Amino acid sequence: MDYIQPFLGTPAFVLAIVLAFALHTLIRRQPPRLIQRHPPPPRSAGFSPFTLLPSEIIQHIASYFTAPSDAASFASTCLCIRLATGTEYLSALHASPTERLRLLELLLADAPNDPIANVPSRLLCVHCARLVPIYIGCGASATEACSKSWVSTECIGSSFLLPLFHTIMAMHRHGRPYDAMLDRLTPPTSTNYNGETGVSSQHTVRYQISAEGFLFQRTQATYIFPPHYDRSTFAFKFFCDHIGGHTGNIPATVALVLDKVCSGSHSWQSDFHWCLTCQTVLLIGARKFRGRGIGLMVTWWRDLGNGLPGDEKWADIIREYDPTKSKKKTANNFMYIVEAFERYNTEDLGFDGLSTLADRKELLRQSPYEVGAGK
Ligand SMILES: [Zn+2]
Ligand SMILES: [Zn+2]
Ligand SMILES: [Zn+2]
């Protein structure tokens, strides 16, 4: 050890450590594109330059990792490091749920993606604190909370699964690709024509992760009512179950925008509405569809949170209406959601501005054309 001591504090030593670790990381984690084209050859355990270092130096490097999750992640790099670092971090890791969750995120970030589907082969379950196989789930040792989390939550989104959500947010936090996972969260656009009522409708859900690491969701429901359709019979599906509380004026707003268009305007848009319980921002618009009828566009935006235990905003959506909740909040408290999702382009939030060309074509294709309708 004598020859090591004077060397340890020098900038050259720190540089050597950084270089060795960078080299080690590079060798362990090749760019995903490279993996897709040429599967990497099996690595021998002795390939890492770390194995060439004396264990005193490995122990010294380990002493820099003060967070138990970092120490555990470093120790799990390979056998040579695990043997050198020992188990000192284990009791601190055991005592802190936050650190255990963070370790799972680090392990998830280190695991390679499935090369074909480009998704991780395991998802993060925060309830049993494990990485579980994507197609199997928590298995026989699933807790009650685990089982519930593998059932999609219809009022949030038909494909919204908590393990998928938590995994996506962890991947984002650690700079891993998550687009393919986000696609799995997103249900396909559904377009329907009801032959009995003559109403055509379309339902679209989109997700985005902000630079700050929050998941935002935008849902659009578009309806085209044929001429002479009795709109009072129309059952509009609301965006949350908190209707009748602080969002009770929604049906009146729907009637208002439709009346504006029926009495001459080409299009009309409401002010922003919002729900205090689930912090949803809502916009209601109507416009004429020449040859088809009157269109109603209902769009709502939500912040589902970053998925960490302190910020689970998604849970507000399934929460019961709370009349004691502060009514001081105004639309401004929630407009950041719309601004973040639309990247500050809040000018055109109508049917043409928000939907894709393919979705617009499909809705018009299913909506019968009649000369002179929707004037
Ligand atoms: Zn190694
Ligand atoms: Zn579980
Ligand atoms: Zn609500």
Side-chain angles (χ1 to χ4, degrees), residues 82-123:
R82 194 155 74 235
L83 293 175
T85 51
T87 57
E88 226 177 295
Y89 54 87
L90 278 181
S91 56
L93 195 63
H94 192 72
S96 165
T98 318
E99 282 296 308
R100 285 206 301 279
L101 187 63
R102 195 164 166 272
L103 172 61
L104 288 175
E105 291 200 356
L106 292 171
L107 295 175
L108 180 76
D110 266 351
N113 273 6
D114 176 308
I116 296 160
N118 198 27
V119 295
S121 57
R122 283 166 187 272
L123 297 183

Side-chain angles (χ1 to χ4, degrees), residues 38-243:
H38 320 277
R43 262 175 271 128
S44 76
F47 193 66
S48 162
F50 262 77
T51 55
L52 304 173
L53 293 173
S55 57
E56 287 91 342
I57 291 189
I58 293 179
Q59 281 158 12
H60 185 75
I61 296 167
S63 73
Y64 281 86
F65 298 116
T66 44
S69 54
D70 285 332
S73 171
F74 181 57
S76 64
T77 307
C78 64
L79 190 59
C80 68
I81 294 181
R82 194 155 74 235
L83 293 175
T85 51
T87 57
E88 226 177 295
Y89 54 87
L90 278 181
S91 56
L93 195 63
H94 192 72
S96 165
T98 318
E99 282 296 308
R100 285 206 301 279
L101 187 63
R102 195 164 166 272
L103 172 61
L104 288 175
E105 291 200 356
L106 292 171
L107 295 175
L108 180 76
D110 266 351
N113 273 6
D114 176 308
I116 296 160
N118 198 27
V119 295
S121 57
R122 283 166 187 272
L123 297 183
L124 174 62
C125 178
V126 298
H127 300 107
C128 58
R130 285 184 301 171
L131 298 177
V132 297
I134 188 164
Y135 297 112
I136 297 169
C138 302
S141 50
T143 65
E144 205 187 315
C146 291
S147 310
K148 269 190 195 161
S149 77
W150 285 88
V151 178
S152 73
T153 317
E154 190 63 43
C155 56
I156 301 177
S158 58
S159 310
F160 188 88
L161 289 181
L162 278 180
L164 206 52
F165 168 55
H166 287 134
T167 306
I168 290 171
M169 301 321 282
M171 301 279 278
H172 180 269
R173 265 191 285 282
H174 295 278
R176 300 279 289 142
Y178 57 85
D179 285 357
M181 302 270 290
L182 218 47
D183 286 347
R184 292 199 176 202
L185 204 65
T186 310
T189 294
S190 71
T191 311
N192 295 294
Y193 173 68
N194 184 324
E196 249 170 71
T197 60
V199 177
S200 24
S201 61
Q202 188 168 66
H203 197 261
T204 313
V205 180
R206 290 285 176 274
Y207 289 99
Q208 256 182 45
I209 301 181
S210 71
E212 294 77 22
F214 298 97
L215 183 68
F216 293 108
Q217 181 198 52
R218 179 183 72 201
T219 311
Q220 282 168 277
T222 307
Y223 308 88
I224 300 180
F225 303 115
H228 318 300
Y229 173 77
D230 180 8
R231 291 190 310 272
S232 63
T233 62
F234 177 68
F236 167 62
K237 194 192 169 297
F238 287 112
F239 57 96
C240 72
D241 291 332
H242 309 127
I243 279 297

